PDB file of all heavy atoms in Angstrom:
ATOM      1  N   ALA A  78     124.420  87.283  88.504  1.00 79.00           N
ATOM      2  CA  ALA A  78     123.972  87.932  87.267  1.00 79.00           C
ATOM      3  C   ALA A  78     123.963  89.425  87.570  1.00 79.00           C
ATOM      4  O   ALA A  78     122.922  90.074  87.560  1.00 79.00           O
ATOM      5  CB  ALA A  78     122.606  87.414  86.858  1.00 79.00           C
ATOM      6  N   GLU A  79     125.133  89.951  87.892  1.00 85.00           N
ATOM      7  CA  GLU A  79     125.243  91.326  88.383  1.00 85.00           C
ATOM      8  C   GLU A  79     124.705  92.358  87.395  1.00 85.00           C
ATOM      9  O   GLU A  79     124.065  93.320  87.796  1.00 85.00           O
ATOM     10  CB  GLU A  79     126.675  91.633  88.778  1.00 85.00           C
ATOM     11  CG  GLU A  79     127.101  90.883  90.023  1.00 85.00           C
ATOM     12  CD  GLU A  79     128.538  91.152  90.418  1.00 85.00           C
ATOM     13  OE1 GLU A  79     129.116  92.150  89.952  1.00 85.00           O
ATOM     14  OE2 GLU A  79     129.067  90.352  91.212  1.00 85.00           O
ATOM     15  N   ASP A  80     124.971  92.158  86.104  1.00 89.00           N
ATOM     16  CA  ASP A  80     124.473  93.128  85.120  1.00 89.00           C
ATOM     17  C   ASP A  80     122.955  93.159  85.117  1.00 89.00           C
ATOM     18  O   ASP A  80     122.327  94.213  85.084  1.00 89.00           O
ATOM     19  CB  ASP A  80     125.011  92.824  83.724  1.00 89.00           C
ATOM     20  CG  ASP A  80     124.669  91.418  83.227  1.00 89.00           C
ATOM     21  OD1 ASP A  80     124.499  90.501  84.061  1.00 89.00           O
ATOM     22  OD2 ASP A  80     124.577  91.243  81.994  1.00 89.00           O
ATOM     23  N   ALA A  81     122.352  91.995  85.223  1.00 88.00           N
ATOM     24  CA  ALA A  81     120.890  91.911  85.236  1.00 88.00           C
ATOM     25  C   ALA A  81     120.331  92.446  86.550  1.00 88.00           C
ATOM     26  O   ALA A  81     119.301  93.129  86.556  1.00 88.00           O
ATOM     27  CB  ALA A  81     120.448  90.467  85.016  1.00 88.00           C
ATOM     28  N   ALA A  82     121.010  92.177  87.646  1.00 89.00           N
ATOM     29  CA  ALA A  82     120.558  92.701  88.942  1.00 89.00           C
ATOM     30  C   ALA A  82     120.624  94.226  88.948  1.00 89.00           C
ATOM     31  O   ALA A  82     119.746  94.892  89.504  1.00 89.00           O
ATOM     32  CB  ALA A  82     121.405  92.119  90.068  1.00 89.00           C
ATOM     33  N   ALA A  83     121.625  94.785  88.304  1.00 93.00           N
ATOM     34  CA  ALA A  83     121.741  96.243  88.213  1.00 93.00           C
ATOM     35  C   ALA A  83     120.588  96.823  87.397  1.00 93.00           C
ATOM     36  O   ALA A  83     120.064  97.884  87.719  1.00 93.00           O
ATOM     37  CB  ALA A  83     123.084  96.624  87.597  1.00 93.00           C
ATOM     38  N   VAL A  84     120.190  96.129  86.339  1.00 94.00           N
ATOM     39  CA  VAL A  84     119.054  96.578  85.522  1.00 94.00           C
ATOM     40  C   VAL A  84     117.772  96.547  86.359  1.00 94.00           C
ATOM     41  O   VAL A  84     116.975  97.493  86.328  1.00 94.00           O
ATOM     42  CB  VAL A  84     118.905  95.728  84.239  1.00 94.00           C
ATOM     43  CG1 VAL A  84     117.591  96.017  83.536  1.00 94.00           C
ATOM     44  CG2 VAL A  84     120.079  95.975  83.305  1.00 94.00           C
ATOM     45  N   ALA A  85     117.575  95.487  87.123  1.00 94.00           N
ATOM     46  CA  ALA A  85     116.383  95.379  87.970  1.00 94.00           C
ATOM     47  C   ALA A  85     116.353  96.510  88.995  1.00 94.00           C
ATOM     48  O   ALA A  85     115.312  97.135  89.219  1.00 94.00           O
ATOM     49  CB  ALA A  85     116.344  94.020  88.666  1.00 94.00           C
ATOM     50  N   SER A  86     117.491  96.795  89.582  1.00 95.00           N
ATOM     51  CA  SER A  86     117.580  97.885  90.547  1.00 95.00           C
ATOM     52  C   SER A  86     117.294  99.230  89.882  1.00 95.00           C
ATOM     53  O   SER A  86     116.590 100.080  90.440  1.00 95.00           O
ATOM     54  CB  SER A  86     118.974  97.898  91.183  1.00 95.00           C
ATOM     55  OG  SER A  86     119.084  98.941  92.104  1.00 95.00           O
ATOM     56  N   ASP A  87     117.808  99.406  88.673  1.00 96.00           N
ATOM     57  CA  ASP A  87     117.579 100.640  87.924  1.00 96.00           C
ATOM     58  C   ASP A  87     116.095 100.804  87.597  1.00 96.00           C
ATOM     59  O   ASP A  87     115.555 101.914  87.664  1.00 96.00           O
ATOM     60  CB  ASP A  87     118.417 100.642  86.641  1.00 96.00           C
ATOM     61  CG  ASP A  87     118.255 101.929  85.861  1.00 96.00           C
ATOM     62  OD1 ASP A  87     118.568 103.009  86.422  1.00 96.00           O
ATOM     63  OD2 ASP A  87     117.795 101.875  84.701  1.00 96.00           O
ATOM     64  N   ILE A  88     115.439  99.716  87.262  1.00 97.00           N
ATOM     65  CA  ILE A  88     113.997  99.768  86.976  1.00 97.00           C
ATOM     66  C   ILE A  88     113.249 100.239  88.215  1.00 97.00           C
ATOM     67  O   ILE A  88     112.342 101.075  88.124  1.00 97.00           O
ATOM     68  CB  ILE A  88     113.478  98.399  86.487  1.00 97.00           C
ATOM     69  CG1 ILE A  88     113.960  98.148  85.060  1.00 97.00           C
ATOM     70  CG2 ILE A  88     111.951  98.313  86.579  1.00 97.00           C
ATOM     71  CD1 ILE A  88     113.692  96.749  84.546  1.00 97.00           C
ATOM     72  N   ASP A  89     113.635  99.735  89.367  1.00 96.00           N
ATOM     73  CA  ASP A  89     112.999 100.132  90.619  1.00 96.00           C
ATOM     74  C   ASP A  89     113.158 101.638  90.839  1.00 96.00           C
ATOM     75  O   ASP A  89     112.185 102.343  91.125  1.00 96.00           O
ATOM     76  CB  ASP A  89     113.614  99.349  91.779  1.00 96.00           C
ATOM     77  CG  ASP A  89     112.985  99.679  93.110  1.00 96.00           C
ATOM     78  OD1 ASP A  89     111.746  99.752  93.187  1.00 96.00           O
ATOM     79  OD2 ASP A  89     113.737  99.873  94.084  1.00 96.00           O
ATOM     80  N   THR A  90     114.357 102.134  90.673  1.00 97.00           N
ATOM     81  CA  THR A  90     114.638 103.562  90.881  1.00 97.00           C
ATOM     82  C   THR A  90     113.946 104.424  89.834  1.00 97.00           C
ATOM     83  O   THR A  90     113.280 105.409  90.168  1.00 97.00           O
ATOM     84  CB  THR A  90     116.160 103.811  90.835  1.00 97.00           C
ATOM     85  OG1 THR A  90     116.790 103.003  91.841  1.00 97.00           O
ATOM     86  CG2 THR A  90     116.490 105.270  91.070  1.00 97.00           C
ATOM     87  N   ARG A  91     114.094 104.046  88.566  1.00 97.00           N
ATOM     88  CA  ARG A  91     113.515 104.860  87.475  1.00 97.00           C
ATOM     89  C   ARG A  91     111.996 104.876  87.527  1.00 97.00           C
ATOM     90  O   ARG A  91     111.368 105.903  87.235  1.00 97.00           O
ATOM     91  CB  ARG A  91     113.986 104.367  86.114  1.00 97.00           C
ATOM     92  CG  ARG A  91     115.410 104.781  85.817  1.00 97.00           C
ATOM     93  CD  ARG A  91     115.784 104.658  84.375  1.00 97.00           C
ATOM     94  NE  ARG A  91     115.324 103.419  83.766  1.00 97.00           N
ATOM     95  CZ  ARG A  91     115.340 103.188  82.468  1.00 97.00           C
ATOM     96  NH1 ARG A  91     115.759 104.113  81.639  1.00 97.00           N
ATOM     97  NH2 ARG A  91     114.934 102.046  81.983  1.00 97.00           N
ATOM     98  N   SER A  92     111.383 103.757  87.889  1.00 97.00           N
ATOM     99  CA  SER A  92     109.920 103.729  87.924  1.00 97.00           C
ATOM    100  C   SER A  92     109.393 104.677  88.999  1.00 97.00           C
ATOM    101  O   SER A  92     108.397 105.375  88.783  1.00 97.00           O
ATOM    102  CB  SER A  92     109.393 102.310  88.142  1.00 97.00           C
ATOM    103  OG  SER A  92     109.754 101.817  89.411  1.00 97.00           O
ATOM    104  N   PHE A  93     110.071 104.736  90.137  1.00 97.00           N
ATOM    105  CA  PHE A  93     109.645 105.676  91.179  1.00 97.00           C
ATOM    106  C   PHE A  93     109.840 107.112  90.697  1.00 97.00           C
ATOM    107  O   PHE A  93     108.925 107.935  90.800  1.00 97.00           O
ATOM    108  CB  PHE A  93     110.416 105.443  92.478  1.00 97.00           C
ATOM    109  CG  PHE A  93     110.115 106.481  93.522  1.00 97.00           C
ATOM    110  CD1 PHE A  93     108.884 106.503  94.162  1.00 97.00           C
ATOM    111  CD2 PHE A  93     111.043 107.450  93.848  1.00 97.00           C
ATOM    112  CE1 PHE A  93     108.588 107.474  95.111  1.00 97.00           C
ATOM    113  CE2 PHE A  93     110.754 108.426  94.787  1.00 97.00           C
ATOM    114  CZ  PHE A  93     109.525 108.433  95.431  1.00 97.00           C
ATOM    115  N   GLN A  94     111.015 107.410  90.164  1.00 97.00           N
ATOM    116  CA  GLN A  94     111.285 108.777  89.693  1.00 97.00           C
ATOM    117  C   GLN A  94     110.300 109.186  88.599  1.00 97.00           C
ATOM    118  O   GLN A  94     109.798 110.310  88.599  1.00 97.00           O
ATOM    119  CB  GLN A  94     112.722 108.892  89.196  1.00 97.00           C
ATOM    120  CG  GLN A  94     113.729 108.801  90.317  1.00 97.00           C
ATOM    121  CD  GLN A  94     115.170 108.690  89.818  1.00 97.00           C
ATOM    122  OE1 GLN A  94     115.417 108.334  88.667  1.00 97.00           O
ATOM    123  NE2 GLN A  94     116.117 108.993  90.683  1.00 97.00           N
ATOM    124  N   THR A  95     110.015 108.286  87.684  1.00 98.00           N
ATOM    125  CA  THR A  95     109.077 108.589  86.605  1.00 98.00           C
ATOM    126  C   THR A  95     107.666 108.774  87.155  1.00 98.00           C
ATOM    127  O   THR A  95     106.925 109.640  86.691  1.00 98.00           O
ATOM    128  CB  THR A  95     109.097 107.468  85.542  1.00 98.00           C
ATOM    129  OG1 THR A  95     110.439 107.327  85.051  1.00 98.00           O
ATOM    130  CG2 THR A  95     108.177 107.780  84.376  1.00 98.00           C
ATOM    131  N   SER A  96     107.309 107.987  88.158  1.00 97.00           N
ATOM    132  CA  SER A  96     105.964 108.100  88.729  1.00 97.00           C
ATOM    133  C   SER A  96     105.719 109.471  89.341  1.00 97.00           C
ATOM    134  O   SER A  96     104.579 109.937  89.398  1.00 97.00           O
ATOM    135  CB  SER A  96     105.715 107.011  89.780  1.00 97.00           C
ATOM    136  OG  SER A  96     106.397 107.293  90.997  1.00 97.00           O
ATOM    137  N   LEU A  97     106.777 110.132  89.757  1.00 97.00           N
ATOM    138  CA  LEU A  97     106.634 111.460  90.352  1.00 97.00           C
ATOM    139  C   LEU A  97     106.103 112.476  89.345  1.00 97.00           C
ATOM    140  O   LEU A  97     105.551 113.506  89.739  1.00 97.00           O
ATOM    141  CB  LEU A  97     107.974 111.943  90.922  1.00 97.00           C
ATOM    142  CG  LEU A  97     108.540 111.140  92.091  1.00 97.00           C
ATOM    143  CD1 LEU A  97     109.943 111.615  92.437  1.00 97.00           C
ATOM    144  CD2 LEU A  97     107.622 111.223  93.301  1.00 97.00           C
ATOM    145  N   THR A  98     106.264 112.192  88.058  1.00 97.00           N
ATOM    146  CA  THR A  98     105.789 113.111  87.016  1.00 97.00           C
ATOM    147  C   THR A  98     104.509 112.601  86.342  1.00 97.00           C
ATOM    148  O   THR A  98     104.011 113.244  85.428  1.00 97.00           O
ATOM    149  CB  THR A  98     106.874 113.325  85.938  1.00 97.00           C
ATOM    150  OG1 THR A  98     107.156 112.079  85.299  1.00 97.00           O
ATOM    151  CG2 THR A  98     108.151 113.892  86.554  1.00 97.00           C
TER     152      THR A  98
END
Side-chain angles (χ1 to χ4, degrees):
E79 290 179 18
D80 58 332
V84 169
S86 180
D87 182 60
I88 287 171
D89 181 45
T90 302
R91 284 196 316 168
S92 65
F93 174 71
Q94 291 171 341
T95 303
S96 75
L97 295 173
T98 62

